[in-house]
Amino acid sequence: PSEECLVDLWRLGALSLVAEGRNAALYRASSMADRLQEEELGEFLTSASQSLVKWLPAPIVGMSRQITYEDQFQEVVDLQTDTTFWKISSTAFTAQDVLELAMVAWFADVECTSIGILLPLEGRIYTLALPQGWAQKAAIILARARAKTT
């Protein structure tokens, strides 16, 4: 039954791209309909959803949470467990991805002690504990970044 709504989920997922002015993914929803109905994709999605519960060390308490800081920065966290923010990546992640997620953890209004990157296509999960005093360090990073842009 969940396969029946994949085209609609595709369209919903494309909305963040549309907000950035990139509309191609939204227009491709109709052409992707046949591929989204393939049995192999359904099996992968079922396996991924079952594995996600096993991979994460704590229950999911939020999905696609938007974090805003001082009405200037907006980021979306893919998953949130009790003290960890997670990004889902397709194949790889960079040091910049890790720093951005750590900064988002500082922006948030909840106690976040670690960040994680989930690579479902590779079956890998990475968790990084945020260092002691992260709030002060993040404030310094942000101040230096702002100073360089002005």
PDB file of all heavy atoms in Angstrom, residues 63-98:
ATOM      1  N   MET A  63      11.233  14.223  12.255  1.00  0.00           N
ATOM      2  CA  MET A  63      11.693  14.023  10.878  1.00  0.00           C
ATOM      3  C   MET A  63      11.559  15.336  10.127  1.00  0.00           C
ATOM      4  O   MET A  63      10.602  16.078  10.346  1.00  0.00           O
ATOM      5  CB  MET A  63      10.862  12.944  10.184  1.00  0.00           C
ATOM      6  CG  MET A  63      10.987  11.580  10.833  1.00  0.00           C
ATOM      7  SD  MET A  63       9.928  10.356  10.062  1.00  0.00           S
ATOM      8  CE  MET A  63      10.785  10.132   8.538  1.00  0.00           C
ATOM      9  N   SER A  64      12.524  15.621   9.257  1.00  0.00           N
ATOM     10  CA  SER A  64      12.510  16.839   8.438  1.00  0.00           C
ATOM     11  C   SER A  64      12.240  18.073   9.292  1.00  0.00           C
ATOM     12  O   SER A  64      11.416  18.913   8.964  1.00  0.00           O
ATOM     13  CB  SER A  64      11.468  16.735   7.330  1.00  0.00           C
ATOM     14  OG  SER A  64      11.794  15.697   6.462  1.00  0.00           O
ATOM     15  N   ARG A  65      12.970  18.179  10.386  1.00  0.00           N
ATOM     16  CA  ARG A  65      12.790  19.309  11.291  1.00  0.00           C
ATOM     17  C   ARG A  65      13.544  20.517  10.757  1.00  0.00           C
ATOM     18  O   ARG A  65      14.736  20.450  10.485  1.00  0.00           O
ATOM     19  CB  ARG A  65      13.300  18.942  12.677  1.00  0.00           C
ATOM     20  CG  ARG A  65      13.129  20.073  13.639  1.00  0.00           C
ATOM     21  CD  ARG A  65      13.341  19.667  15.060  1.00  0.00           C
ATOM     22  NE  ARG A  65      13.149  20.857  15.864  1.00  0.00           N
ATOM     23  CZ  ARG A  65      13.857  21.143  16.912  1.00  0.00           C
ATOM     24  NH1 ARG A  65      14.779  20.315  17.331  1.00  0.00           N
ATOM     25  NH2 ARG A  65      13.645  22.244  17.586  1.00  0.00           N
ATOM     26  N   GLN A  66      12.846  21.621  10.627  1.00  0.00           N
ATOM     27  CA  GLN A  66      13.476  22.846  10.146  1.00  0.00           C
ATOM     28  C   GLN A  66      13.992  23.637  11.334  1.00  0.00           C
ATOM     29  O   GLN A  66      13.268  23.902  12.283  1.00  0.00           O
ATOM     30  CB  GLN A  66      12.478  23.684   9.361  1.00  0.00           C
ATOM     31  CG  GLN A  66      13.116  24.891   8.728  1.00  0.00           C
ATOM     32  CD  GLN A  66      12.188  25.600   7.759  1.00  0.00           C
ATOM     33  OE1 GLN A  66      11.160  25.077   7.389  1.00  0.00           O
ATOM     34  NE2 GLN A  66      12.566  26.782   7.354  1.00  0.00           N
ATOM     35  N   ILE A  67      15.267  24.009  11.267  1.00  0.00           N
ATOM     36  CA  ILE A  67      15.912  24.763  12.335  1.00  0.00           C
ATOM     37  C   ILE A  67      16.225  26.154  11.790  1.00  0.00           C
ATOM     38  O   ILE A  67      16.847  26.300  10.738  1.00  0.00           O
ATOM     39  CB  ILE A  67      17.233  24.089  12.777  1.00  0.00           C
ATOM     40  CG1 ILE A  67      17.030  22.608  13.111  1.00  0.00           C
ATOM     41  CG2 ILE A  67      17.877  24.843  13.922  1.00  0.00           C
ATOM     42  CD1 ILE A  67      16.213  22.329  14.325  1.00  0.00           C
ATOM     43  N   THR A  68      15.812  27.192  12.504  1.00  0.00           N
ATOM     44  CA  THR A  68      16.071  28.576  12.104  1.00  0.00           C
ATOM     45  C   THR A  68      16.851  29.259  13.210  1.00  0.00           C
ATOM     46  O   THR A  68      16.573  29.061  14.391  1.00  0.00           O
ATOM     47  CB  THR A  68      14.743  29.322  11.860  1.00  0.00           C
ATOM     48  OG1 THR A  68      13.994  28.607  10.895  1.00  0.00           O
ATOM     49  CG2 THR A  68      14.994  30.727  11.358  1.00  0.00           C
ATOM     50  N   TYR A  69      17.809  30.088  12.817  1.00  0.00           N
ATOM     51  CA  TYR A  69      18.614  30.827  13.788  1.00  0.00           C
ATOM     52  C   TYR A  69      18.629  32.295  13.389  1.00  0.00           C
ATOM     53  O   TYR A  69      19.051  32.640  12.283  1.00  0.00           O
ATOM     54  CB  TYR A  69      20.037  30.271  13.842  1.00  0.00           C
ATOM     55  CG  TYR A  69      20.914  30.971  14.847  1.00  0.00           C
ATOM     56  CD1 TYR A  69      20.716  30.787  16.209  1.00  0.00           C
ATOM     57  CD2 TYR A  69      21.927  31.827  14.436  1.00  0.00           C
ATOM     58  CE1 TYR A  69      21.509  31.424  17.135  1.00  0.00           C
ATOM     59  CE2 TYR A  69      22.731  32.465  15.362  1.00  0.00           C
ATOM     60  CZ  TYR A  69      22.522  32.273  16.710  1.00  0.00           C
ATOM     61  OH  TYR A  69      23.310  32.918  17.630  1.00  0.00           O
ATOM     62  N   GLU A  70      18.160  33.139  14.290  1.00  0.00           N
ATOM     63  CA  GLU A  70      18.149  34.593  14.097  1.00  0.00           C
ATOM     64  C   GLU A  70      17.536  35.000  12.756  1.00  0.00           C
ATOM     65  O   GLU A  70      17.957  35.968  12.135  1.00  0.00           O
ATOM     66  CB  GLU A  70      19.561  35.171  14.218  1.00  0.00           C
ATOM     67  CG  GLU A  70      20.160  35.043  15.598  1.00  0.00           C
ATOM     68  CD  GLU A  70      21.541  35.662  15.702  1.00  0.00           C
ATOM     69  OE1 GLU A  70      22.087  36.122  14.675  1.00  0.00           O
ATOM     70  OE2 GLU A  70      22.067  35.708  16.818  1.00  0.00           O
ATOM     71  N   ASP A  71      16.558  34.280  12.299  1.00  0.00           N
ATOM     72  CA  ASP A  71      15.880  34.564  11.024  1.00  0.00           C
ATOM     73  C   ASP A  71      16.837  34.705   9.847  1.00  0.00           C
ATOM     74  O   ASP A  71      16.498  35.285   8.826  1.00  0.00           O
ATOM     75  CB  ASP A  71      15.013  35.830  11.139  1.00  0.00           C
ATOM     76  CG  ASP A  71      13.857  35.642  12.101  1.00  0.00           C
ATOM     77  OD1 ASP A  71      13.361  34.498  12.199  1.00  0.00           O
ATOM     78  OD2 ASP A  71      13.463  36.618  12.752  1.00  0.00           O
ATOM     79  N   GLN A  72      18.048  34.185   9.982  1.00  0.00           N
ATOM     80  CA  GLN A  72      19.039  34.286   8.908  1.00  0.00           C
ATOM     81  C   GLN A  72      19.395  32.920   8.327  1.00  0.00           C
ATOM     82  O   GLN A  72      19.600  32.791   7.135  1.00  0.00           O
ATOM     83  CB  GLN A  72      20.326  34.939   9.407  1.00  0.00           C
ATOM     84  CG  GLN A  72      20.163  36.379   9.795  1.00  0.00           C
ATOM     85  CD  GLN A  72      21.482  36.962  10.286  1.00  0.00           C
ATOM     86  OE1 GLN A  72      22.487  36.270  10.361  1.00  0.00           O
ATOM     87  NE2 GLN A  72      21.456  38.227  10.632  1.00  0.00           N
ATOM     88  N   PHE A  73      19.495  31.937   9.170  1.00  0.00           N
ATOM     89  CA  PHE A  73      19.940  30.617   8.743  1.00  0.00           C
ATOM     90  C   PHE A  73      18.794  29.627   8.900  1.00  0.00           C
ATOM     91  O   PHE A  73      18.162  29.571   9.945  1.00  0.00           O
ATOM     92  CB  PHE A  73      21.129  30.145   9.587  1.00  0.00           C
ATOM     93  CG  PHE A  73      22.278  31.107   9.582  1.00  0.00           C
ATOM     94  CD1 PHE A  73      22.509  31.945  10.664  1.00  0.00           C
ATOM     95  CD2 PHE A  73      23.128  31.179   8.497  1.00  0.00           C
ATOM     96  CE1 PHE A  73      23.557  32.826  10.664  1.00  0.00           C
ATOM     97  CE2 PHE A  73      24.185  32.071   8.490  1.00  0.00           C
ATOM     98  CZ  PHE A  73      24.401  32.893   9.575  1.00  0.00           C
ATOM     99  N   GLN A  74      18.571  28.852   7.858  1.00  0.00           N
ATOM    100  CA  GLN A  74      17.572  27.804   7.925  1.00  0.00           C
ATOM    101  C   GLN A  74      18.192  26.512   7.409  1.00  0.00           C
ATOM    102  O   GLN A  74      18.799  26.499   6.347  1.00  0.00           O
ATOM    103  CB  GLN A  74      16.346  28.140   7.082  1.00  0.00           C
ATOM    104  CG  GLN A  74      15.483  29.205   7.674  1.00  0.00           C
ATOM    105  CD  GLN A  74      14.182  29.356   6.914  1.00  0.00           C
ATOM    106  OE1 GLN A  74      14.047  28.879   5.806  1.00  0.00           O
ATOM    107  NE2 GLN A  74      13.221  30.019   7.526  1.00  0.00           N
ATOM    108  N   GLU A  75      18.030  25.486   8.159  1.00  0.00           N
ATOM    109  CA  GLU A  75      18.515  24.164   7.771  1.00  0.00           C
ATOM    110  C   GLU A  75      17.447  23.148   8.119  1.00  0.00           C
ATOM    111  O   GLU A  75      16.624  23.375   9.000  1.00  0.00           O
ATOM    112  CB  GLU A  75      19.799  23.800   8.522  1.00  0.00           C
ATOM    113  CG  GLU A  75      21.063  24.290   7.899  1.00  0.00           C
ATOM    114  CD  GLU A  75      21.363  23.664   6.544  1.00  0.00           C
ATOM    115  OE1 GLU A  75      21.082  22.471   6.329  1.00  0.00           O
ATOM    116  OE2 GLU A  75      21.862  24.392   5.690  1.00  0.00           O
ATOM    117  N   VAL A  76      17.499  22.030   7.439  1.00  0.00           N
ATOM    118  CA  VAL A  76      16.575  20.941   7.732  1.00  0.00           C
ATOM    119  C   VAL A  76      17.380  19.741   8.210  1.00  0.00           C
ATOM    120  O   VAL A  76      18.356  19.347   7.566  1.00  0.00           O
ATOM    121  CB  VAL A  76      15.740  20.563   6.486  1.00  0.00           C
ATOM    122  CG1 VAL A  76      14.877  19.350   6.775  1.00  0.00           C
ATOM    123  CG2 VAL A  76      14.889  21.738   6.046  1.00  0.00           C
ATOM    124  N   VAL A  77      16.984  19.216   9.339  1.00  0.00           N
ATOM    125  CA  VAL A  77      17.577  17.998   9.879  1.00  0.00           C
ATOM    126  C   VAL A  77      16.691  16.845   9.435  1.00  0.00           C
ATOM    127  O   VAL A  77      15.473  16.885   9.631  1.00  0.00           O
ATOM    128  CB  VAL A  77      17.663  18.069  11.418  1.00  0.00           C
ATOM    129  CG1 VAL A  77      18.156  16.768  11.988  1.00  0.00           C
ATOM    130  CG2 VAL A  77      18.547  19.227  11.841  1.00  0.00           C
ATOM    131  N   ASP A  78      17.275  15.840   8.817  1.00  0.00           N
ATOM    132  CA  ASP A  78      16.476  14.740   8.268  1.00  0.00           C
ATOM    133  C   ASP A  78      15.787  13.929   9.358  1.00  0.00           C
ATOM    134  O   ASP A  78      14.601  13.627   9.259  1.00  0.00           O
ATOM    135  CB  ASP A  78      17.346  13.824   7.399  1.00  0.00           C
ATOM    136  CG  ASP A  78      17.858  14.547   6.161  1.00  0.00           C
ATOM    137  OD1 ASP A  78      17.107  15.381   5.607  1.00  0.00           O
ATOM    138  OD2 ASP A  78      18.998  14.295   5.759  1.00  0.00           O
ATOM    139  N   LEU A  79      16.535  13.573  10.397  1.00  0.00           N
ATOM    140  CA  LEU A  79      15.984  12.786  11.504  1.00  0.00           C
ATOM    141  C   LEU A  79      16.490  13.356  12.816  1.00  0.00           C
ATOM    142  O   LEU A  79      17.594  13.893  12.885  1.00  0.00           O
ATOM    143  CB  LEU A  79      16.426  11.323  11.418  1.00  0.00           C
ATOM    144  CG  LEU A  79      16.010  10.527  10.188  1.00  0.00           C
ATOM    145  CD1 LEU A  79      16.697   9.176  10.177  1.00  0.00           C
ATOM    146  CD2 LEU A  79      14.507  10.360  10.141  1.00  0.00           C
ATOM    147  N   GLN A  80      15.684  13.192  13.855  1.00  0.00           N
ATOM    148  CA  GLN A  80      16.114  13.592  15.195  1.00  0.00           C
ATOM    149  C   GLN A  80      15.776  12.477  16.154  1.00  0.00           C
ATOM    150  O   GLN A  80      14.648  11.995  16.199  1.00  0.00           O
ATOM    151  CB  GLN A  80      15.406  14.878  15.620  1.00  0.00           C
ATOM    152  CG  GLN A  80      15.763  15.314  17.022  1.00  0.00           C
ATOM    153  CD  GLN A  80      14.940  16.502  17.492  1.00  0.00           C
ATOM    154  OE1 GLN A  80      14.190  17.096  16.733  1.00  0.00           O
ATOM    155  NE2 GLN A  80      15.073  16.837  18.752  1.00  0.00           N
ATOM    156  N   THR A  81      16.788  12.032  16.889  1.00  0.00           N
ATOM    157  CA  THR A  81      16.546  11.127  18.009  1.00  0.00           C
ATOM    158  C   THR A  81      16.635  11.988  19.258  1.00  0.00           C
ATOM    159  O   THR A  81      16.778  13.209  19.161  1.00  0.00           O
ATOM    160  CB  THR A  81      17.547   9.956  18.026  1.00  0.00           C
ATOM    161  OG1 THR A  81      18.875  10.472  18.028  1.00  0.00           O
ATOM    162  CG2 THR A  81      17.357   9.061  16.804  1.00  0.00           C
ATOM    163  N   ASP A  82      16.587  11.393  20.428  1.00  0.00           N
ATOM    164  CA  ASP A  82      16.505  12.206  21.641  1.00  0.00           C
ATOM    165  C   ASP A  82      17.634  13.225  21.793  1.00  0.00           C
ATOM    166  O   ASP A  82      17.390  14.366  22.159  1.00  0.00           O
ATOM    167  CB  ASP A  82      16.368  11.328  22.883  1.00  0.00           C
ATOM    168  CG  ASP A  82      17.431  10.248  22.956  1.00  0.00           C
ATOM    169  OD1 ASP A  82      18.228  10.116  22.015  1.00  0.00           O
ATOM    170  OD2 ASP A  82      17.448   9.531  23.964  1.00  0.00           O
ATOM    171  N   THR A  83      18.873  12.889  21.484  1.00  0.00           N
ATOM    172  CA  THR A  83      19.975  13.845  21.642  1.00  0.00           C
ATOM    173  C   THR A  83      20.874  13.939  20.414  1.00  0.00           C
ATOM    174  O   THR A  83      21.999  14.422  20.497  1.00  0.00           O
ATOM    175  CB  THR A  83      20.860  13.463  22.860  1.00  0.00           C
ATOM    176  OG1 THR A  83      21.387  12.154  22.647  1.00  0.00           O
ATOM    177  CG2 THR A  83      20.079  13.518  24.155  1.00  0.00           C
ATOM    178  N   THR A  84      20.391  13.480  19.262  1.00  0.00           N
ATOM    179  CA  THR A  84      21.214  13.452  18.051  1.00  0.00           C
ATOM    180  C   THR A  84      20.418  13.945  16.858  1.00  0.00           C
ATOM    181  O   THR A  84      19.258  13.594  16.684  1.00  0.00           O
ATOM    182  CB  THR A  84      21.718  12.022  17.761  1.00  0.00           C
ATOM    183  OG1 THR A  84      22.374  11.513  18.925  1.00  0.00           O
ATOM    184  CG2 THR A  84      22.680  12.004  16.597  1.00  0.00           C
ATOM    185  N   PHE A  85      21.077  14.782  16.029  1.00  0.00           N
ATOM    186  CA  PHE A  85      20.516  15.190  14.740  1.00  0.00           C
ATOM    187  C   PHE A  85      21.199  14.384  13.653  1.00  0.00           C
ATOM    188  O   PHE A  85      22.413  14.189  13.686  1.00  0.00           O
ATOM    189  CB  PHE A  85      20.740  16.676  14.489  1.00  0.00           C
ATOM    190  CG  PHE A  85      19.859  17.576  15.292  1.00  0.00           C
ATOM    191  CD1 PHE A  85      20.312  18.811  15.696  1.00  0.00           C
ATOM    192  CD2 PHE A  85      18.570  17.210  15.642  1.00  0.00           C
ATOM    193  CE1 PHE A  85      19.507  19.662  16.427  1.00  0.00           C
ATOM    194  CE2 PHE A  85      17.752  18.055  16.375  1.00  0.00           C
ATOM    195  CZ  PHE A  85      18.230  19.290  16.770  1.00  0.00           C
ATOM    196  N   TRP A  86      20.411  13.954  12.656  1.00  0.00           N
ATOM    197  CA  TRP A  86      20.912  13.087  11.595  1.00  0.00           C
ATOM    198  C   TRP A  86      20.666  13.693  10.232  1.00  0.00           C
ATOM    199  O   TRP A  86      19.617  14.265   9.973  1.00  0.00           O
ATOM    200  CB  TRP A  86      20.199  11.733  11.639  1.00  0.00           C
ATOM    201  CG  TRP A  86      20.429  10.984  12.903  1.00  0.00           C
ATOM    202  CD1 TRP A  86      19.715  11.058  14.061  1.00  0.00           C
ATOM    203  CD2 TRP A  86      21.463  10.041  13.149  1.00  0.00           C
ATOM    204  NE1 TRP A  86      20.250  10.214  14.999  1.00  0.00           N
ATOM    205  CE2 TRP A  86      21.321   9.574  14.467  1.00  0.00           C
ATOM    206  CE3 TRP A  86      22.494   9.533  12.362  1.00  0.00           C
ATOM    207  CZ2 TRP A  86      22.168   8.639  15.020  1.00  0.00           C
ATOM    208  CZ3 TRP A  86      23.341   8.594  12.920  1.00  0.00           C
ATOM    209  CH2 TRP A  86      23.173   8.155  14.236  1.00  0.00           C
ATOM    210  N   LYS A  87      21.640  13.521   9.356  1.00  0.00           N
ATOM    211  CA  LYS A  87      21.486  13.838   7.935  1.00  0.00           C
ATOM    212  C   LYS A  87      21.561  12.523   7.179  1.00  0.00           C
ATOM    213  O   LYS A  87      22.360  11.650   7.513  1.00  0.00           O
ATOM    214  CB  LYS A  87      22.600  14.756   7.437  1.00  0.00           C
ATOM    215  CG  LYS A  87      22.361  16.215   7.672  1.00  0.00           C
ATOM    216  CD  LYS A  87      21.255  16.731   6.789  1.00  0.00           C
ATOM    217  CE  LYS A  87      21.324  18.230   6.659  1.00  0.00           C
ATOM    218  NZ  LYS A  87      20.239  18.762   5.881  1.00  0.00           N
ATOM    219  N   ILE A  88      20.742  12.392   6.158  1.00  0.00           N
ATOM    220  CA  ILE A  88      20.803  11.230   5.287  1.00  0.00           C
ATOM    221  C   ILE A  88      21.509  11.666   4.024  1.00  0.00           C
ATOM    222  O   ILE A  88      21.146  12.668   3.411  1.00  0.00           O
ATOM    223  CB  ILE A  88      19.394  10.699   4.965  1.00  0.00           C
ATOM    224  CG1 ILE A  88      18.686  10.290   6.261  1.00  0.00           C
ATOM    225  CG2 ILE A  88      19.466   9.534   3.993  1.00  0.00           C
ATOM    226  CD1 ILE A  88      17.237   9.906   6.087  1.00  0.00           C
ATOM    227  N   SER A  89      22.534  10.939   3.645  1.00  0.00           N
ATOM    228  CA  SER A  89      23.336  11.294   2.477  1.00  0.00           C
ATOM    229  C   SER A  89      23.301  10.143   1.480  1.00  0.00           C
ATOM    230  O   SER A  89      23.100   8.987   1.856  1.00  0.00           O
ATOM    231  CB  SER A  89      24.774  11.581   2.908  1.00  0.00           C
ATOM    232  OG  SER A  89      25.532  12.066   1.836  1.00  0.00           O
ATOM    233  N   SER A  90      23.519  10.467   0.217  1.00  0.00           N
ATOM    234  CA  SER A  90      23.429   9.416  -0.804  1.00  0.00           C
ATOM    235  C   SER A  90      24.685   8.556  -0.858  1.00  0.00           C
ATOM    236  O   SER A  90      24.609   7.340  -0.794  1.00  0.00           O
ATOM    237  CB  SER A  90      23.134  10.021  -2.169  1.00  0.00           C
ATOM    238  OG  SER A  90      24.126  10.971  -2.496  1.00  0.00           O
ATOM    239  N   THR A  91      25.849   9.174  -0.979  1.00  0.00           N
ATOM    240  CA  THR A  91      27.053   8.353  -1.120  1.00  0.00           C
ATOM    241  C   THR A  91      28.217   8.817  -0.259  1.00  0.00           C
ATOM    242  O   THR A  91      29.014   8.017   0.162  1.00  0.00           O
ATOM    243  CB  THR A  91      27.537   8.330  -2.580  1.00  0.00           C
ATOM    244  OG1 THR A  91      27.741   9.670  -3.013  1.00  0.00           O
ATOM    245  CG2 THR A  91      26.522   7.654  -3.481  1.00  0.00           C
ATOM    246  N   ALA A  92      28.338  10.098  -0.041  1.00  0.00           N
ATOM    247  CA  ALA A  92      29.505  10.592   0.702  1.00  0.00           C
ATOM    248  C   ALA A  92      29.136  11.855   1.449  1.00  0.00           C
ATOM    249  O   ALA A  92      28.112  12.471   1.203  1.00  0.00           O
ATOM    250  CB  ALA A  92      30.654  10.872  -0.261  1.00  0.00           C
ATOM    251  N   PHE A  93      30.003  12.251   2.364  1.00  0.00           N
ATOM    252  CA  PHE A  93      29.819  13.511   3.062  1.00  0.00           C
ATOM    253  C   PHE A  93      31.194  14.138   3.275  1.00  0.00           C
ATOM    254  O   PHE A  93      32.207  13.457   3.259  1.00  0.00           O
ATOM    255  CB  PHE A  93      29.072  13.329   4.382  1.00  0.00           C
ATOM    256  CG  PHE A  93      29.768  12.431   5.367  1.00  0.00           C
ATOM    257  CD1 PHE A  93      30.595  12.956   6.342  1.00  0.00           C
ATOM    258  CD2 PHE A  93      29.582  11.065   5.319  1.00  0.00           C
ATOM    259  CE1 PHE A  93      31.230  12.137   7.250  1.00  0.00           C
ATOM    260  CE2 PHE A  93      30.212  10.227   6.229  1.00  0.00           C
ATOM    261  CZ  PHE A  93      31.042  10.764   7.195  1.00  0.00           C
ATOM    262  N   THR A  94      31.198  15.444   3.437  1.00  0.00           N
ATOM    263  CA  THR A  94      32.448  16.178   3.571  1.00  0.00           C
ATOM    264  C   THR A  94      32.567  16.740   4.979  1.00  0.00           C
ATOM    265  O   THR A  94      31.608  16.723   5.757  1.00  0.00           O
ATOM    266  CB  THR A  94      32.503  17.349   2.569  1.00  0.00           C
ATOM    267  OG1 THR A  94      31.473  18.287   2.919  1.00  0.00           O
ATOM    268  CG2 THR A  94      32.309  16.866   1.136  1.00  0.00           C
ATOM    269  N   ALA A  95      33.739  17.285   5.275  1.00  0.00           N
ATOM    270  CA  ALA A  95      33.945  17.937   6.569  1.00  0.00           C
ATOM    271  C   ALA A  95      32.996  19.127   6.711  1.00  0.00           C
ATOM    272  O   ALA A  95      32.503  19.420   7.807  1.00  0.00           O
ATOM    273  CB  ALA A  95      35.396  18.392   6.701  1.00  0.00           C
ATOM    274  N   GLN A  96      32.707  19.797   5.605  1.00  0.00           N
ATOM    275  CA  GLN A  96      31.768  20.917   5.639  1.00  0.00           C
ATOM    276  C   GLN A  96      30.372  20.438   6.033  1.00  0.00           C
ATOM    277  O   GLN A  96      29.679  21.104   6.799  1.00  0.00           O
ATOM    278  CB  GLN A  96      31.714  21.632   4.298  1.00  0.00           C
ATOM    279  CG  GLN A  96      30.770  22.819   4.301  1.00  0.00           C
ATOM    280  CD  GLN A  96      30.792  23.604   3.007  1.00  0.00           C
ATOM    281  OE1 GLN A  96      31.737  23.527   2.238  1.00  0.00           O
ATOM    282  NE2 GLN A  96      29.742  24.357   2.773  1.00  0.00           N
ATOM    283  N   ASP A  97      29.948  19.276   5.527  1.00  0.00           N
ATOM    284  CA  ASP A  97      28.650  18.714   5.903  1.00  0.00           C
ATOM    285  C   ASP A  97      28.580  18.468   7.410  1.00  0.00           C
ATOM    286  O   ASP A  97      27.570  18.759   8.058  1.00  0.00           O
ATOM    287  CB  ASP A  97      28.388  17.391   5.174  1.00  0.00           C
ATOM    288  CG  ASP A  97      28.287  17.545   3.673  1.00  0.00           C
ATOM    289  OD1 ASP A  97      27.853  18.619   3.199  1.00  0.00           O
ATOM    290  OD2 ASP A  97      28.646  16.586   2.963  1.00  0.00           O
ATOM    291  N   VAL A  98      29.665  17.945   7.958  1.00  0.00           N
ATOM    292  CA  VAL A  98      29.721  17.657   9.392  1.00  0.00           C
ATOM    293  C   VAL A  98      29.664  18.957  10.188  1.00  0.00           C
ATOM    294  O   VAL A  98      28.909  19.066  11.168  1.00  0.00           O
ATOM    295  CB  VAL A  98      30.991  16.844   9.738  1.00  0.00           C
ATOM    296  CG1 VAL A  98      31.155  16.705  11.243  1.00  0.00           C
ATOM    297  CG2 VAL A  98      30.936  15.475   9.069  1.00  0.00           C
TER     298      VAL A  98
END
